[in-house]
Amino acid sequence: MFVVWARRDAVTEVGNLTVKEKNYRISLVRELLKMDREATWVELKHNNSDPNEIGEYISALSNSAALEGRPFGYVVWGVDDSSHDPLCQQS
């Protein structure tokens, strides 16, 4: 499972990334945001702090990704569900 927070000009994630990894993940998030709608293996979320609900999302997305032959499921935080626009300003 790959979880990121979308920002207007960047992707924030816990951990140290190489420049190549960071650029790949920025590109990946941009491609996910271009999708016409969410898929069974992609969730776009404004925010959520309920650990049980987050766990359910992760479990469902992982299962859906496996069933569809996808290597990963994705949750992208900080995104408007309908427009897919990032909601956070880069700090």
Side-chain angles (χ1 to χ4, degrees):
M1 178 56 60
F2 181 61
V3 181
V4 296
W5 293 263
R7 296 187 150 205
R8 293 210 185 272
D9 298 315
V11 174
T12 302
E13 182 175 6
V14 177
N16 296 324
L17 298 175
T18 66
V19 171
K20 184 177 179 179
E21 291 169 325
K22 185 174 181 178
N23 288 338
Y24 167 76
R25 292 180 183 188
I26 289 170
S27 175
L28 174 63
V29 169
R30 286 182 178 150
E31 289 303 311
L32 293 172
L33 296 180
K34 288 180 187 177
M35 295 176 69
D36 292 335
R37 57 189 156 95
E38 293 175 324
T40 58
W41 48 276
V42 177
E43 273 290 324
L44 306 176
K45 292 288 164 208
H46 177 232
N47 61 25
N48 188 336
S49 60
D50 180 350
N52 292 326
E53 195 171 323
I54 292 168
E56 289 176 14
Y57 282 132
I58 291 171
S59 178
L61 290 169
S62 295
N63 290 335
S64 293
L67 289 172
E68 294 191 25
R70 299 278 180 170
F72 300 102
Y74 301 93
V75 179
V76 183
W77 299 99
V79 177
D80 180 84
D81 287 352
S82 59
S83 69
H84 299 189
D85 290 334
L87 300 172
C88 301
Q89 294 289 342
Q90 185 172 358
S91 52

